[in-house]
Amino acid sequence: TSMAQIAKACKVTKATLYYYFKSKEDILMAVLGCHEEEMESLKLELGKAGSVEELLYAIAKNHLEKMNQPDNLDFVKILINEAMTNPGVKKFYMAFVKDSITKVAKDVLAPFLKGRMEEMEVRRTYFQFVAALIHFTWQVKMVGALSDIIGDDEAYIRLLAKVHANQLMNG
């Protein structure tokens, strides 16, 4: 995608686009920055969960809803491609992932766990949950449904939440 194509899709001139963004990488980083704001909003909603399992299920449900929006899926494809080829984007993206995992572990999961596990182990377990969720989404959206093997999306994310909640609660 060129800056001219982005400008056309945004219905602005290329000069206007360059006024606000120096490069495609800056645009990617700004979009990812908007995702940070969404995460803060989601954290407030997650505060209503009554258990770790409900919390993980809500995270998974939110993720699947976001990935059912074609623009979000296209953005993920672009971000991954750019992160693989552009060191600046990769660094920014990895910092975003680390920060997101740490924030959820500290701010969202910790109150439920009340010292049951060390913070590093909470982060690892939450990362495993997120990685399984992302892998499932990628498989379903990019390759094809697995419903004949694992059931529908709902059944999968309920099981995923249950397994990882048990791991978090029981060490």
Side-chain angles (χ1 to χ4, degrees):
T1 305
S2 68
M3 288 292 272
Q5 290 170 313
I6 294 169
K8 183 178 177 183
C10 294
K11 297 180 177 131
V12 298
T13 66
K14 201 163 117 177
T16 300
L17 190 62
Y18 273 111
Y19 177 79
Y20 292 101
F21 302 101
K22 293 178 182 155
S23 66
K24 293 185 296 184
E25 291 80 15
D26 287 349
I27 295 170
L28 274 174
M29 291 182 210
V31 173
L32 198 56
C34 291
H35 183 70
E36 285 183 43
E37 293 171 18
E38 286 180 24
M39 291 263 311
E40 288 301 315
S41 174
L42 177 61
K43 272 186 3 188
L44 293 174
E45 188 177 318
L46 295 175
K48 300 172 189 171
S51 68
V52 174
E53 187 174 336
E54 287 178 25
L55 176 75
L56 294 177
Y57 171 77
I59 290 168
K61 186 85 170 165
N62 178 271
H63 173 77
L64 288 182
E65 288 170 0
K66 295 269 186 235
M67 291 301 103
N68 280 332
Q69 299 170 8
D71 290 347
N72 288 336
L73 194 58
D74 288 342
F75 172 71
V76 170
K77 290 178 195 174
I78 292 166
L79 178 62
I80 290 170
N81 187 48
E82 287 295 319
M84 289 173 30
T85 59
N86 183 315
V89 173
K90 179 180 181 177
K91 182 178 177 182
F92 185 85
Y93 175 66
M94 292 307 296
F96 172 80
V97 169
K98 289 176 186 176
D99 188 50
S100 297
I101 296 290
T102 301
K103 280 182 182 177
V104 171
K106 281 184 174 180
D107 301 343
V108 180
L109 289 169
F112 286 100
L113 302 177
K114 296 179 179 79
R116 291 177 189 256
M117 203 190 243
E118 295 293 322
E119 183 185 327
M120 178 64 81
E121 191 61 29
V122 173
R123 287 195 317 247
R124 262 190 226 122
T125 303
Y126 180 65
F127 178 78
Q128 289 171 344
F129 167 77
V130 170
L133 181 61
I134 290 169
H135 179 76
F136 169 77
T137 306
W138 200 253
Q139 171 68 37
V140 169
K141 299 297 179 189
M142 299 300 157
V143 181
L146 297 169
S147 55
D148 57 330
I149 299 170
I150 61 168
D152 63 9
D153 292 0
E154 182 71 18
Y156 178 77
I157 64 172
R158 285 212 178 272
L159 178 62
L160 187 66
K162 182 178 185 172
V163 167
H164 284 85
N166 284 338
Q167 189 175 354
L168 285 164
M169 295 304 289
N170 301 318

